[in-house]
Structures are given as structure tokens and as C-alpha cells.
């Protein structure tokens, strides 16, 4: 067991009133401060058709082909913003200090041009969990595989600067080149088999493919996270942390947090369509010795809700405020009941309209400060 880094408050984020520590080690310690994303300026991402096929739902492939580079429909954004405002309000009333990235303005409506490629636009600052990874007292900017996400860290720069003054370490992972060599040109859509659309040309990852459990971090290889990216992070973090690569039954993996969601020490919520009984048994007999695994209830989102970028399994993309309180979608009765059954206290927040942007409570946040210490909770043999 290690002790907390115990950073002191530098002052530039002066409204932070507490004794001022930063950092977080896991997904369940008491949440004191979080970044919540923004929907303003969200742009339909301009990615190759192979990347769209690999990561996005079939029913919307044509939408992405037709609308790449243009803003998301305004009514979708307005409705999503309402949900997000309600979420911020709930977090604040539960005692969480909320920080927001800067309004990106037209940043994401502008083309991004690098050597050998150009996109019509960027994406959004709605999901800080994708772009930034907090490990202890360090924030790491992810080397993201989508070209449209190349400038996604920019709306967070001011916040990150202020956090640095408060003692957070800020690391930018090596900026990827994202030339054609980073993408597997022979990739073809397969319904049931995972073969990554990205290559091992350079380290790539989205922060949301990692889940933190103290000194152990689990990750999935995906269509946006490669082996080199995982290895880079392990080398960077050093021996204090151990990264474990888990494999699930998912041919279109992009972000682990609708598949594998630890709720507290000893308890993981898993996706029954992607995590088989056999995989669960192997985990319980090994790395997760002594832990309980619970299958998430089936999502109940109506088909009328447009889900451009995600499956319905966002129902399990919950956010723990501590080992007891958990934020759950307001109308998701099965999830509310499951959480109660597990002895947790669900807090309902309307979020279906935000789902349309591809994430839920975990995706839309970044845990800047959870009170707690670094612990080793898994069975490393
Ligand atoms: O169905 O696994 C998760 C998206 C999180 N950004 C899914 C989508």
C-alpha cells in the first residue's frame, strides 16, 4: 500500500476551498472534483469509412458519410445540453466541485491538417474521459487514434494549466502522426470477429479504454487502442502500476466503460453480451480472486432515441460518487433496481438525450480528485 501524494493547493483555481489535494486512483473513492464535458461546438467526425464501420453503429454509417465535418443537429445538442446541465447540478448538490472545459467555439468546425492527411473538422469536448487519463497525481493526454480528435485537448488547456499550478503533473503522450500507416488498409467489416482497424505503427490509445483499480489498471485492445499504446503507458507509469490487458467478446471495442465497470473494491459490473461466464470464472480464479462479478441488466433505451455512436449498453456507464452513491439514468428502472439490490444508493439523472452523443456519466466526466490512497487490490499471483 502506498500513501497519497498529498499535493498542496497552488492557488490559481482559488474557488477550491478544501485543503486541496488532487488526483485519483480508482473509480469509487469519494469524488471531490471532476471535469464535466461540454456539447457546444460538437461536430460530426470525419473519419475513414473503415474507422466508422469499426467503431460506430451500422444504422448511422450513412449519417457519418453524409454529415462529416458539419455540426450535430442543433436539437440533438440542445437536448443533450439540458441533460448535462442537470447532471452538473446533481454533482454539485452531492458535494462535487465541477470544472468545465472552455467552449470550443468553432474549433471543431475547422479542418485539421497534418502531413499526409486532412479532416473536414474535429469532434467535441463532451467526453473528457476519452481524451484524458488521471493516474494518481498525473493527468495524461491520450494519443488518440481518430484524426478528428487530434485537437481535442485544446479546450482543456486552461484547466490543465491551472491544475499544474496546483501540483498535478501533466503529461502529453507522444503525439501520433496518424498517417495512413497507422490504419490497416486491408481491414474489412466483420460482424463477429475483432481485428483492429489500427496498426502497430505508433502508440495509440483513448483514455477510456483503461479502467483504474488502484495499483492495477485494466485495459482492452480496441479499434482505438493498440499494443504500443498500452506498452507506452506501462513504461511511462513504471512499476508502481501494473496494466492488465483483458479480452472480451466484442468485435467493435472502443472504450471499456460500457463493458467492465468496477463499482467498489470487490465488485465489478460487466456486460453480459461481451463478458462470458467463462471469462468471469477465469478472472475470479485469477487476477480478481475474491471479487464478485455482476451482469448488468438489459438496457431499456427506446429505439426512438438516436444513438449515433454507441450501443445501448451505456446503461452501465454509471458514475460512482463514493462506494455507496451511484449516478444512474433516471428512467433506467432495471439499473436502479440492480444498484439497490447491490446495496448501493442510486441517484437518478435524466441522460437519454446525452446518450445520443455516445456516452453517459462515466464518459462525460474526468475524476480530478477522489479522496483516497493507492492500494493494491488484485491478485497478481
Ligand atoms: O457500446 O461500448 C461505449 C462508448 C463509451 N464512450 C459501447 C460504447
Amino acid at each position: 500500500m502506498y500513501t497519497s501524494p498529498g499535493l498542496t493547493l497552488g492557488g490559481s483555481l482559488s474557488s477550491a476551498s478544501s485543503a486541496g489535494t488532487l488526483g485519483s486512483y480508482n473509480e469509487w473513492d469519494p469524488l471531490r472534483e471532476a471535469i464535466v464535458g461540454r456539447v457546444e461546438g460538437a461536430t460530426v467526425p470525419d473519419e475513414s469509412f473503415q474507422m466508422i464501420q469499426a467503431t460506430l453503429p451500422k444504422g448511422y454509417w450513412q449519417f457519418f458519410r453524409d454529415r462529416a465535418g458539419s455540426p450535430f443537429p442543433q436539437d440533438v445538442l440542445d437536448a443533450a445540453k439540458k441533460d448535462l446541465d442537470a447532471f452538473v447540478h446533481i454533482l454539485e448538490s452531492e458535494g462535487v466541485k465541477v470544472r468545465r472545459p472552455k467552449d470550443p467555439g468553432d474549433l471543431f468546425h475547422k479542418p485539421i491538417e497534418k502531413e499526409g492527411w486532412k479532416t473536414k473538422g474535429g469532434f467535441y469536448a463532451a467526453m473528457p474521459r476519452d481524451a484524458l487519463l488521471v493516474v494518481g497525481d498525473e493527468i495524461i493526454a491520450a494519443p488518440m487514434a481518430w484524426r478528428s480528435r487530434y485537437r481535442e485537448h485544446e479546450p482543456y488547456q486552461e484547466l490543465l494549466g491551472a491544475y499544474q499550478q496546483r501540483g498535478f503533473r501533466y503529461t502529453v503522450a507522444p503525439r501520433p502522426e496518424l498517417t495512413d500507416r497507422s490504419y490497416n488498409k486491408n481491414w474489412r467489416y466483420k460482424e463477429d470477429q475483432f481485428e483492429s482497424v489500427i496498426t502497430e505503427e505508433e502508440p495509440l490509445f483513448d483514455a477510456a479504454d483503461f479502467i483504474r483499480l488502484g495499483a492495477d489498471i485494466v485495459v482492452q485492445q480496441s479499434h482505438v487502442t493498440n499494443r504500443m499504446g498500452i506498452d507506452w503507458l506501462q513504461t511511462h507509469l513504471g512499476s508502481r502500476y501494473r496494466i492488465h490487458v483483458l479480452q472480451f467478446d466484442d468485435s467493435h471495442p472502443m472504450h471499456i466503460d460500457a463493458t467492465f465497470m468496477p463499482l467498489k473494491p470487490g465488485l465489478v459490473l460487466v456486460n453480459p453480451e461481451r463478458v462470458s461466464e467463462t471469462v468471469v470464472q477465469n478472472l475470479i480464479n485469477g487476477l480478481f480472486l475474491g471479487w464478485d462479478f455482476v451482469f448488468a441488466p438489459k438496457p431499456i433505451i427506446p429505439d426512438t432515441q438516436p444513438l449515433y455512436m454507441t450501443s445501448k449498453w451505456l446503461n452501465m456507464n454509471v458514475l460512482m460518487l463514493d462506494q455507496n452513491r451511484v449516478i444512474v439514468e433516471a428512467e433506467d428502472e432495471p439499473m436502479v433496481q440492480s444498484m439497490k439490490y447491490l446495496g448501493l444508493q442510486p441517484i437518478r439523472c435524466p441522460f437519454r438525450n446525452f446518450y445520443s452523443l455516445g456516452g453517459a456519466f462515466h464518459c462525460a466526466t474526468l475524476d480530478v480528485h477522489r479522496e483516497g490512497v493507492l492500494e493494491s487490490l488484485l491478485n497478481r499471483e
Side-chain angles (χ1 to χ4, degrees):
M1 201 185 280
Y2 306 88
T3 51
S4 157
L7 297 163
T8 49
L9 184 65
S12 138
L13 291 173
S14 52
S15 57
S17 55
S18 76
T21 52
L22 284 170
S24 82
Y25 294 110
N26 56 47
E27 311 291 337
W28 56 74
D29 275 343
L31 184 62
R32 300 297 180 220
E33 183 167 339
I35 298 176
V36 175
R38 269 188 188 282
V39 308
E40 288 86 348
T43 303
V44 179
D46 177 17
E47 294 296 326
S48 73
F49 192 53
Q50 286 168 318
M51 182 58 87
I52 289 168
Q53 289 179 302
T55 56
L56 301 175
K58 222 176 204 167
Y60 288 100
W61 290 353
Q62 200 54 43
F63 171 88
F64 287 94
R65 291 189 115 165
D66 295 342
R67 306 282 297 257
S70 52
F72 270 91
Q74 194 56 45
D75 56 326
V76 170
L77 294 184
D78 290 345
K81 182 175 182 304
K82 253 196 195 160
D83 280 0
L84 202 55
D85 290 346
F87 179 42
V88 167
H89 181 75
I90 289 172
L91 287 172
E92 286 176 340
S93 48
E94 294 292 327
V96 180
K97 178 82 210 167
V98 173
R99 309 279 184 188
R100 310 296 295 278
K102 162 173 130 192
D103 186 330
D106 65 354
L107 171 70
F108 298 131
H109 302 333
K110 292 194 245 175
I112 300 175
E113 196 165 1
K114 300 290 297 173
E115 203 164 322
W117 58 268
K118 183 176 179 178
T119 65
K120 291 181 184 152
F123 189 26
Y124 58 29
M127 312 291 172
R129 187 80 60 181
D130 298 356
L132 299 164
L133 182 67
V134 172
V135 181
D137 65 346
E138 183 176 17
I139 300 188
I140 298 160
M144 302 177 94
W146 281 18
R147 289 171 171 171
S148 61
R149 308 193 84 165
Y150 193 80
R151 299 185 65 183
E152 196 158 312
H153 310 105
E154 292 179 25
Y156 303 95
Q157 285 311 328
E158 244 173 77
L159 266 182
L160 293 170
Y163 282 135
Q164 271 180 290
Q165 291 193 7
R166 280 171 63 185
F168 234 139
R169 287 184 295 141
Y170 176 47
T171 302
V172 179
R175 298 290 277 152
E177 308 265 334
L178 302 182
T179 65
D180 290 347
R181 288 193 302 279
S182 286
Y183 306 95
N184 177 359
K185 66 175 184 309
N186 298 320
W187 188 91
R188 294 289 173 269
Y189 181 81
K190 287 187 209 86
E191 196 74 47
D192 298 315
Q193 194 191 323
F194 171 59
E195 183 200 351
S196 188
V197 74
I198 56 171
T199 62
E200 295 291 339
E201 172 73 13
E202 58 183 347
L204 297 174
F205 64 82
D206 273 13
D209 272 322
F210 294 86
I211 278 276
R212 305 155 311 142
L213 306 108
D216 296 283
I217 296 173
V218 300
V219 64
Q220 65 174 2
Q221 243 182 286
S222 74
H223 289 296
V224 291
T225 294
N226 63 15
R227 193 71 226 193
M228 281 182 88
I230 297 168
D231 291 346
W232 176 85
L233 187 66
Q234 177 66 79
T235 304
H236 174 74
L237 293 176
S239 58
R240 246 187 142 192
Y241 295 92
R242 196 175 294 181
I243 299 179
H244 309 270
V245 183
L246 302 188
Q247 220 181 327
F248 306 113
D249 302 324
D250 187 357
S251 46
H252 301 284
M254 174 172 175
H255 306 161
I256 196 170
D257 52 358
T259 300
F260 190 93
M261 181 61 74
L263 302 175
K264 60 181 183 180
L267 184 62
V268 186
L269 185 67
V270 289
N271 182 321
E273 277 183 4
R274 300 178 186 164
V275 189
S276 66
E277 299 256 4
T278 317
V279 167
V280 168
Q281 265 321 319
N282 288 338
L283 290 172
I284 291 176
N285 291 336
L287 192 59
F288 285 83
L289 193 68
W291 284 58
D292 287 324
F293 281 65
V294 175
F295 288 113
K298 267 211 159 68
I300 55 157
I301 307 162
D303 290 333
T304 48
Q305 186 68 46
L307 297 178
Y308 303 100
M309 293 178 279
T310 179
S311 74
K312 291 187 177 182
W313 289 103
L314 281 185
N315 69 332
M316 53 176 293
N317 194 259
V318 296
L319 183 71
M320 300 303 297
L321 299 187
D322 54 32
Q323 291 190 26
N324 185 34
R325 292 170 300 157
V326 54
I327 304 203
V328 175
E329 208 291 318
E331 294 178 80
D332 193 347
E333 212 50 49
M335 188 57 82
V336 166
Q337 292 313 322
S338 296
M339 292 295 136
K340 285 187 181 164
Y341 177 79
L342 293 170
L344 305 177
Q345 182 197 334
I347 299 170
R348 295 172 190 257
C349 175
F351 225 49
R352 281 184 179 170
N353 289 315
F354 187 83
Y355 281 6
S356 292
L357 294 184
F361 308 108
H362 192 261
C363 301
T365 49
L366 184 73
D367 318 342
V368 169
H369 182 209
R370 287 185 185 267
E371 234 167 59
V373 295
L374 182 56
E375 287 182 279
S376 186
L377 297 164
L378 300 191
N379 170 39
R380 292 176 177 182
E381 246 131 8

